[in-house]
Each structure stands twice: as C-alpha cells, then as structure tokens.
Amino acid sequence: MTSSSSPSQDTQSFAQNHPDGLRADALMEEDVAWSHEIDGERDGDQFDRSERAALRRVAGLSTELEDVTEVEYRQLRLERVVLVGVWTSGTATDSENSLAELAALAETAGALVLDGVIQRRDKPDAATYIGSGKANELREIVLETGADTVICDGELSPGQLIHLEDVVKVKVIDRTALILDIFAQHAKSREGKAQVALAQMQYMLPRLRGWGQSLSRQMGGGKGGGLATRGPGETKIETDRRRIREKMAKMRREIADMKVGREIKRQERRRNKVPSVAIAGYTNAGKSSLLNRLTGAGVLVQNELFATLDPTVRRAETPGGRIYTLADTVGFVRHLPHHLVEAFRSTMEEVGDSDLILHVVDGSHPAPEEQLAAVREVVRDVGANKVPEIVVINKADAADPLVLQRLMRNEKRSIAVSARTGQGIAELLALIDVELPHPSVEIEVLVPYTLGRLVARAHSEGEVISEEHTPEGTLLKLRVHEELAAELQAYVPVPAV
C-alpha cells in the first residue's frame, strides 16, 4: 500500500535534499501561503517587487520655510558678525553714527550684527588696528557671542588683517571689503559688473597670501630647456599677482570700450543742446525715488544701502516745456573706497558733464551735514565741484522741522521735498527750470508753414516766449543757442517801411 503524504511534508523532504531548488520554487510561486513560523518574524510589511522598487518619501526631512521658524531660517543663512571701530577724531556721537552705518552696511550684505565696540585711540594700531590687549578682549567677545566674522570700521593694511585674525581666530574684513561685497551683489549691468570686478582686484592684489605650495618656486629656465635648474623661478603667489594684473588691464580696456558708447550718447545730447541734470547724493537718501517721481522711470526703490548701482538716464520736461535729461548716479558713502572711485570714474562723469546737480540729502538722518560733506568730497574728486548745485532735502515728511530749518538756513540754494508724498515736487521742477542754463540769443522770426521742422526744433532746443499763427506763417519770439539762431536768421521779418 502506498502511503500518502501532505504537500508540506513533501516540501520539507525536498528542502532537505534540494535546498536551492526550494528557494527558486518559492520565488517563482505566485501564491505562497503565509506561515507564522517563517513570515511572522519578518520586520515590517511585505511588498510586491514593484512596490519595493518604488520611491518612498521619508517624513520629517524637509527644511522649507514653513517647517522652521523665521528666526531659525535667518540664523542658518546669515553670517554672525561683531563690529569694531576706532575713534580717532570728532565726538563720541560721530563715532557711534559711523558704527551704526557700518551695521546697516553689514545687514545689507546679508549679515546678522551681534555686537559693536569702539576704542578711543590717537590713531589705529599698526599691528592689530586696536592694540594687542583690546584684540584679546575682542577674542572674548567673539567667543561669548558665537560670531564667525569681525568687521572693522576702516581700511586695514594686509599686516593688520593677518595679525588681528591670528588673535581673534575668526575671519576679519574691513569696511572696504564689505562695500565691495555689496557692490558685487547689486551690480546688474555688464559695465557695473566690470567696474566692481576691477575694484575688487585692485583691493585684493596687495592682500594675497601664500601658504605651503603657494611659496614654492617653479623650476628655472635654462638654455634650450635642459636641466632647467639655473636661477630661482617664479613663486605661485607671484604667478597669481601677475595674472591679476593681466585681468585688471583687460577690465580697464573693456570699461574704456563701454565708455565710448556712453560718450557718443553724451555728444549727441550736446549737439542737440539738450541740458542735463545729475542726481547725486548719499546712499539711501532717496535718489531713485526722486527720479521716479520726476520722470516715472520705474527704477528699483528699496530701503537699503546701494540698492541701485547702474546709472539711469531719463528724458524730462520743465513746466515751461524745455526738454532736459535726468541722470541717477551711484550713491556715495563716507570713506568711500578709492578703488571704487577709480573704477566708477567713467560712470561718475555723468555728474561732471551735467549742467546742474540735484544734491539729495536725507532730511530724517541724524547727521545730514556729514552726508553733504561726504558727497561733496567725492564730487570734488571727480572734478565736478564747479557745476551749479541745488540741495534737495528729501524725506521732509519724516524729518524734524528744526533740522529742516537749519539745513535750509545753511544751504542757500535748497528746497525741502518728499519723493514719497509728492510734497515740494512742483516747486523743485520750477527751480530746475530757473537754474538750467538758458539760450543766449533772443530772436523773433516768421517761419513758413512748410518748414514745420524748424518750429519743432525751436520748441525742443530753445525757449519759446510767444507764438502766433499768421497768414504768412508762424511768428515766434524765442531764445535759442547761436547755431539755431544762425539758421533762423533768414526768417527774421523785415520791418515795414
């Protein structure tokens, strides 16, 4: 009699004799019964092969803004800085205002200001800017606040940077490097980027450092490329300096080429006798806001330092109908790095070539007189100190009335306006009309109707005092420049005998 056995017994017997075959059969079997002894000890749910291969989202790993607080978001991304200033002259308030401006610059650059200290000295220390003892105290402040950067309110020499970093054990930068960083972030046009790159390389050249292989020498150049061991070769840091000088020369050539295009436009305006007005002033004084209010230019307006760098030229018209150009220039700041003045000299020529300067000052600032002095120093550096100037005291709606009275008493050609509310804008336009240079020749002509182009030029290039339409043509009494007066001379009416 043949004994019958269950499938499980047959499977166990087969497994003893063919263990690999059982595993293969199980993998090929589409419907395998669940066994508590075998399957109960498996960790987790069992999935089909397609489900096992699919992507699965892991919860709790997202770091988007809604998953963390705004404060944590800022701490993750902003450098934590401590500010250091040396008070050498002026009052304590002056030094505090300078450090407050440095804090605004640091925040514009994207840093989180933790602390600020000022030291009273006759002059900055030649080695560590603030002296060895104060440098050690600064190290304690850095450790206490958890800062990772120290910003000094002045331009440090390469030696001062190295020695101060050796003491505080964190990165040290100066005011010049901070302003250059802001300019690099805000430059948008090709010319602006080139000017900032040139200024950065001028600043970086004397501050290159060499470690390890950077000070090793290349092999000397023997005759015919033999053993090539005669004479010391060029070190790596010398090679870097040479390459930076070559790049600087290339940048200067590119900026000079771009200058040609702007000069052609300027010559065209001169040829057409279109007067020009330049808006100059301290950074964040409201120059772009004033340009938008006067011309509707739509330039970026932001409550931060150096929000706009690239010059903007717009067409404007006086209440009397005269056409002129209005140019917005880069903002100035106290102790503006000379690298920037040199690099942006071609842009600042808009100020020197203008017929009138609107010097915008922030009336709500704690020290507006210092802003005026800092801007006039830069204007003098670019050779524009002989151009007529109107002091425009902006933000009059937020300024102290006593400060406005003091400024207007000290500055004879001044006017208080508010670019935000429109206060004083009509009076400013009338003042621009008065201060712009006027054509020198007064003439009365009778222009035939067939020469309408001359009438149009008379309106665009001159000042029309009166206009009358007669059967013979257009009778004009106007002031024009000498060139146009010579063209109109043929149409001067002959007096009746």
Side-chain angles (χ1 to χ4, degrees):
M1 185 174 68
T2 304
S3 61
S4 63
S5 61
S6 65
S8 60
Q9 291 173 345
D10 292 340
T11 303
Q12 290 175 1
S13 174
F14 182 78
Q16 293 172 358
N17 298 324
H18 306 282
D20 293 336
L22 175 62
R23 183 171 179 272
D25 290 344
L27 288 174
M28 296 296 293
E29 185 68 43
E30 294 184 358
D31 187 12
V32 180
W34 186 85
S35 170
H36 179 76
E37 290 80 3
I38 298 174
D39 299 323
E41 298 179 0
R42 292 178 180 170
D43 53 342
D45 298 331
Q46 305 306 305
F47 300 96
D48 292 338
R49 178 175 296 181
S50 60
E51 293 176 326
R52 289 200 304 271
L55 292 174
R56 283 184 289 156
R57 187 177 299 278
V58 180
L61 295 186
S62 172
T63 56
E64 291 182 352
L65 185 58
E66 59 265 19
D67 293 335
V68 292
T69 66
E70 179 69 22
V71 174
E72 291 170 338
Y73 183 80
R74 286 172 57 83
Q75 289 178 344
L76 281 171
R77 286 158 177 79
L78 299 187
E79 280 192 69
R80 302 162 62 83
V81 303
V82 171
L83 310 180
V84 182
V86 172
W87 170 21
T88 57
S89 60
T91 64
T93 304
D94 295 337
S95 62
E96 290 174 2
N97 289 339
S98 181
L99 205 66
E101 183 178 274
L102 186 67
L105 288 168
E107 291 176 359
T108 301
L112 183 64
V113 179
L114 302 177
D115 205 348
V117 292
I118 298 174
Q119 187 197 12
R120 184 73 169 96
R121 294 179 66 93
D122 293 333
K123 62 180 181 179
D125 183 69
T128 59
Y129 183 67
I130 54 175
S132 56
K134 297 300 179 184
N136 289 321
E137 292 182 24
L138 179 61
R139 169 63 180 163
E140 298 298 326
I141 294 174
V142 168
L143 289 174
E144 180 183 345
T145 58
D148 48 35
T149 303
V150 170
I151 304 178
C152 298
D153 190 16
E155 185 168 336
L156 304 189
S157 68
Q160 288 173 323
L161 278 172
I162 294 171
H163 292 143
L164 191 56
E165 276 189 355
D166 288 342
V167 177
V168 299
K169 307 298 182 186
V170 295
K171 180 174 70 174
V172 176
I173 64 173
D174 58 14
R175 184 188 184 95
T176 301
L178 180 62
I179 293 176
L180 287 171
D181 181 76
I182 296 172
F183 271 56
Q185 291 181 43
H186 291 179
K188 297 293 185 295
S189 69
R190 178 167 168 259
E191 185 174 12
K193 291 177 180 178
Q195 289 169 328
V196 171
L198 175 60
Q200 285 179 320
M201 285 186 284
Q202 286 177 316
Y203 174 81
M204 189 193 335
L205 185 60
R207 292 170 174 79
L208 285 180
R209 306 186 204 175
W211 294 278
Q213 294 296 321
S214 296
L215 297 177
S216 63
R217 294 190 181 276
Q218 298 179 7
M219 194 169 289
K223 285 185 178 179
L227 295 178
T229 58
R230 288 178 285 278
E234 192 177 37
T235 63
K236 177 67 168 58
I237 194 169
E238 288 169 347
T239 305
D240 292 341
R241 285 177 180 149
R242 175 168 51 81
R243 288 174 177 168
I244 287 177
R245 290 190 186 100
E246 291 172 355
K247 288 183 179 179
M248 286 170 59
K250 181 181 178 183
M251 285 292 180
R252 287 194 179 100
R253 288 194 297 269
E254 290 181 358
I255 292 172
D257 291 341
M258 295 179 226
K259 178 183 175 183
V260 172
R262 195 169 51 251
E263 182 63 29
I264 290 173
K265 295 178 183 177
R266 209 177 287 140
Q267 289 176 357
E268 183 71 15
R269 293 199 295 267
R270 289 197 203 104
R271 187 174 65 83
N272 293 326
K273 304 299 182 182
V274 178
S276 61
V277 178
I279 301 178
Y282 213 77
T283 180
N284 206 33
K287 299 184 299 300
S288 297
S289 299
L290 184 63
L291 178 69
N292 290 342
R293 173 65 71 170
L294 292 175
T295 66
V299 177
L300 171 69
V301 173
Q302 213 164 332
N303 186 24
E304 66 177 25
L305 306 184
F306 300 114
T308 52
L309 295 183
D310 303 317
T312 303
V313 180
R314 291 291 183 269
R315 180 178 179 274
E317 188 175 335
T318 65
R322 294 183 63 198
I323 303 298
Y324 66 97
T325 60
L326 199 60
D328 183 18
T329 60
V330 63
F332 303 143
V333 70
R334 74 179 84 190
H335 312 308
L336 190 67
H338 63 276
H339 312 101
L340 279 177
V341 176
E342 181 63 30
F344 278 80
R345 184 172 295 276
S346 60
T347 302
M348 293 176 182
E349 286 174 357
E350 292 286 352
V351 179
D353 288 342
S354 62
D355 298 300
L356 179 67
I357 296 176
L358 297 185
H359 185 166
V360 184
V361 61
D362 182 358
S364 63
H365 191 270
E369 288 86 359
E370 293 182 12
Q371 289 191 351
L372 287 167
V375 172
R376 282 169 176 160
E377 181 180 352
V378 179
V379 169
R380 187 168 56 251
D381 288 343
V382 299
N385 51 320
K386 293 184 180 179
V387 180
E389 174 194 70
I390 297 176
V391 176
V392 182
I393 308 168
N394 194 22
K395 306 182 184 180
D397 55 323
D400 185 348
L402 295 178
V403 174
L404 290 179
Q405 292 176 11
R406 185 180 76 233
L407 286 173
M408 296 185 73
R409 184 172 59 250
N410 296 336
E411 301 294 336
K412 302 305 179 185
R413 300 170 68 185
S414 60
I415 184 170
V417 305
S418 172
R420 186 177 67 87
T421 64
Q423 172 189 343
I425 296 298
E427 292 82 356
L428 174 60
L429 286 170
L431 187 58
I432 292 174
D433 198 359
V434 172
E435 295 292 338
L436 278 177
H438 293 271
S440 56
V441 180
E442 184 171 328
I443 190 171
E444 184 174 352
V445 293
L446 181 62
V447 182
Y449 289 121
T450 56
L451 296 177
R453 59 178 182 82
L454 281 179
V455 177
R457 284 189 61 190
H459 279 278
S460 62
E461 300 178 24
E463 294 181 33
V464 177
I465 301 173
S466 65
E467 182 177 8
E468 181 182 351
H469 297 287
T470 67
E472 294 80 15
T474 306
L475 182 62
L476 293 173
K477 186 177 181 181
L478 69 163
R479 294 189 188 94
V480 292
H481 53 82
E482 294 179 358
E483 294 178 9
L484 185 56
E487 290 186 42
L488 293 172
Q489 191 66 39
Y491 304 101
V492 174
V494 179
V497 178

Short mmCIF file of all heavy atoms in Angstrom, two decimals, residues 323-344:
data_model
loop_
_atom_site.label_atom_id
_atom_site.label_comp_id
_atom_site.label_asym_id
_atom_site.label_seq_id
_atom_site.Cartn_x
_atom_site.Cartn_y
_atom_site.Cartn_z
N ILE A 323 13.05 120.56 -22.80
CA ILE A 323 13.46 119.17 -22.65
C ILE A 323 14.84 119.12 -22.00
O ILE A 323 15.74 119.89 -22.37
CB ILE A 323 13.48 118.45 -24.01
CG1 ILE A 323 12.11 118.55 -24.69
CG2 ILE A 323 13.89 117.00 -23.85
CD1 ILE A 323 11.00 117.90 -23.91
N TYR A 324 15.02 118.23 -21.04
CA TYR A 324 16.34 118.00 -20.44
C TYR A 324 16.44 116.54 -20.03
O TYR A 324 15.45 115.81 -20.02
CB TYR A 324 16.58 118.93 -19.25
CG TYR A 324 15.68 118.68 -18.05
CD1 TYR A 324 16.10 117.92 -16.97
CD2 TYR A 324 14.39 119.24 -18.00
CE1 TYR A 324 15.26 117.70 -15.89
CE2 TYR A 324 13.57 119.03 -16.92
CZ TYR A 324 14.01 118.25 -15.86
OH TYR A 324 13.19 118.03 -14.79
N THR A 325 17.65 116.09 -19.73
CA THR A 325 17.85 114.71 -19.27
C THR A 325 18.13 114.70 -17.78
O THR A 325 18.78 115.62 -17.24
CB THR A 325 19.02 114.04 -20.01
OG1 THR A 325 20.23 114.78 -19.77
CG2 THR A 325 18.75 113.96 -21.50
N LEU A 326 17.66 113.65 -17.12
CA LEU A 326 17.84 113.49 -15.68
C LEU A 326 18.56 112.16 -15.45
O LEU A 326 18.07 111.11 -15.87
CB LEU A 326 16.47 113.50 -14.98
CG LEU A 326 16.43 113.77 -13.48
CD1 LEU A 326 17.01 115.15 -13.18
CD2 LEU A 326 15.00 113.70 -12.98
N ALA A 327 19.73 112.21 -14.83
CA ALA A 327 20.57 111.01 -14.65
C ALA A 327 20.68 110.68 -13.17
O ALA A 327 21.05 111.53 -12.36
CB ALA A 327 21.94 111.23 -15.26
N ASP A 328 20.37 109.43 -12.83
CA ASP A 328 20.55 108.92 -11.47
C ASP A 328 21.92 108.26 -11.39
O ASP A 328 22.29 107.46 -12.24
CB ASP A 328 19.45 107.89 -11.16
CG ASP A 328 19.53 107.38 -9.72
OD1 ASP A 328 20.19 108.05 -8.91
OD2 ASP A 328 18.93 106.33 -9.43
N THR A 329 22.72 108.61 -10.39
CA THR A 329 24.08 108.10 -10.27
C THR A 329 24.21 107.20 -9.05
O THR A 329 23.29 107.12 -8.22
CB THR A 329 25.10 109.25 -10.16
OG1 THR A 329 24.79 110.03 -8.99
CG2 THR A 329 25.02 110.14 -11.38
N VAL A 330 25.36 106.54 -8.93
CA VAL A 330 25.61 105.65 -7.81
C VAL A 330 25.66 106.47 -6.52
O VAL A 330 26.12 107.61 -6.50
CB VAL A 330 26.93 104.87 -8.03
CG1 VAL A 330 28.12 105.83 -8.10
CG2 VAL A 330 27.16 103.84 -6.92
N GLY A 331 25.18 105.89 -5.44
CA GLY A 331 25.18 106.58 -4.16
C GLY A 331 26.57 106.64 -3.55
O GLY A 331 27.41 105.79 -3.80
N PHE A 332 26.81 107.68 -2.74
CA PHE A 332 28.09 107.83 -2.07
C PHE A 332 27.94 107.47 -0.60
O PHE A 332 26.83 107.35 -0.07
CB PHE A 332 28.60 109.28 -2.19
CG PHE A 332 28.72 109.74 -3.62
CD1 PHE A 332 28.41 111.05 -3.97
CD2 PHE A 332 29.13 108.87 -4.62
CE1 PHE A 332 28.53 111.47 -5.29
CE2 PHE A 332 29.24 109.29 -5.93
CZ PHE A 332 28.94 110.59 -6.26
N VAL A 333 29.08 107.30 0.05
CA VAL A 333 29.10 106.97 1.47
C VAL A 333 30.38 107.54 2.04
O VAL A 333 31.36 107.74 1.31
CB VAL A 333 29.00 105.44 1.68
CG1 VAL A 333 30.30 104.75 1.24
CG2 VAL A 333 28.66 105.08 3.12
N ARG A 334 30.40 107.79 3.33
CA ARG A 334 31.62 108.33 3.93
C ARG A 334 32.74 107.27 3.83
O ARG A 334 32.48 106.06 3.90
CB ARG A 334 31.38 108.72 5.38
CG ARG A 334 31.26 107.55 6.34
CD ARG A 334 31.06 108.03 7.75
NE ARG A 334 29.66 108.31 8.00
CZ ARG A 334 29.21 108.93 9.08
NH1 ARG A 334 30.05 109.34 10.00
NH2 ARG A 334 27.92 109.13 9.25
N HIS A 335 33.96 107.75 3.65
CA HIS A 335 35.11 106.86 3.46
C HIS A 335 34.88 105.90 2.29
O HIS A 335 35.18 104.71 2.39
CB HIS A 335 35.41 106.05 4.72
CG HIS A 335 35.46 106.87 5.99
ND1 HIS A 335 36.23 108.00 6.12
CD2 HIS A 335 34.80 106.72 7.17
CE1 HIS A 335 36.05 108.52 7.33
NE2 HIS A 335 35.20 107.77 7.99
N LEU A 336 34.33 106.43 1.19
CA LEU A 336 34.12 105.59 0.01
C LEU A 336 35.48 105.09 -0.47
O LEU A 336 36.40 105.90 -0.67
CB LEU A 336 33.42 106.38 -1.09
CG LEU A 336 32.93 105.57 -2.29
CD1 LEU A 336 31.80 104.64 -1.88
CD2 LEU A 336 32.46 106.49 -3.40
N PRO A 337 35.67 103.77 -0.65
CA PRO A 337 36.99 103.25 -1.04
C PRO A 337 37.49 103.89 -2.33
O PRO A 337 36.73 104.04 -3.30
CB PRO A 337 36.72 101.75 -1.23
CG PRO A 337 35.50 101.46 -0.42
CD PRO A 337 34.67 102.71 -0.47
N HIS A 338 38.78 104.26 -2.33
CA HIS A 338 39.32 104.92 -3.53
C HIS A 338 39.32 103.97 -4.71
O HIS A 338 39.30 104.41 -5.86
CB HIS A 338 40.73 105.45 -3.26
CG HIS A 338 41.73 104.38 -2.94
ND1 HIS A 338 41.90 103.87 -1.68
CD2 HIS A 338 42.60 103.72 -3.73
CE1 HIS A 338 42.85 102.93 -1.70
NE2 HIS A 338 43.29 102.83 -2.93
N HIS A 339 39.33 102.64 -4.46
CA HIS A 339 39.23 101.68 -5.56
C HIS A 339 37.92 101.88 -6.32
O HIS A 339 37.88 101.82 -7.55
CB HIS A 339 39.29 100.23 -5.05
CG HIS A 339 40.42 99.97 -4.09
ND1 HIS A 339 40.21 99.92 -2.73
CD2 HIS A 339 41.73 99.75 -4.29
CE1 HIS A 339 41.36 99.68 -2.13
NE2 HIS A 339 42.30 99.58 -3.04
N LEU A 340 36.85 102.13 -5.56
CA LEU A 340 35.54 102.30 -6.19
C LEU A 340 35.46 103.62 -6.95
O LEU A 340 34.90 103.69 -8.04
CB LEU A 340 34.44 102.24 -5.14
CG LEU A 340 34.02 100.84 -4.69
CD1 LEU A 340 32.99 100.93 -3.59
CD2 LEU A 340 33.47 100.05 -5.85
N VAL A 341 36.02 104.68 -6.35
CA VAL A 341 36.01 105.97 -7.03
C VAL A 341 36.74 105.85 -8.36
O VAL A 341 36.30 106.38 -9.39
CB VAL A 341 36.64 107.06 -6.14
CG1 VAL A 341 36.72 108.38 -6.88
CG2 VAL A 341 35.84 107.23 -4.86
N GLU A 342 37.86 105.14 -8.36
CA GLU A 342 38.63 104.97 -9.59
C GLU A 342 37.88 104.11 -10.60
O GLU A 342 37.81 104.43 -11.79
CB GLU A 342 40.00 104.34 -9.26
CG GLU A 342 40.91 104.13 -10.46
CD GLU A 342 41.30 105.44 -11.11
OE1 GLU A 342 41.37 106.47 -10.41
OE2 GLU A 342 41.50 105.44 -12.35
N ALA A 343 37.31 102.99 -10.13
CA ALA A 343 36.63 102.06 -11.04
C ALA A 343 35.36 102.68 -11.61
O ALA A 343 35.02 102.45 -12.77
CB ALA A 343 36.30 100.75 -10.31
N PHE A 344 34.63 103.47 -10.79
CA PHE A 344 33.36 104.05 -11.24
C PHE A 344 33.54 105.47 -11.78
O PHE A 344 32.57 106.18 -11.95
CB PHE A 344 32.36 104.07 -10.08
CG PHE A 344 31.65 102.77 -9.88
CD1 PHE A 344 32.25 101.73 -9.21
CD2 PHE A 344 30.37 102.58 -10.37
CE1 PHE A 344 31.61 100.52 -9.03
CE2 PHE A 344 29.72 101.38 -10.19
CZ PHE A 344 30.34 100.34 -9.52
#
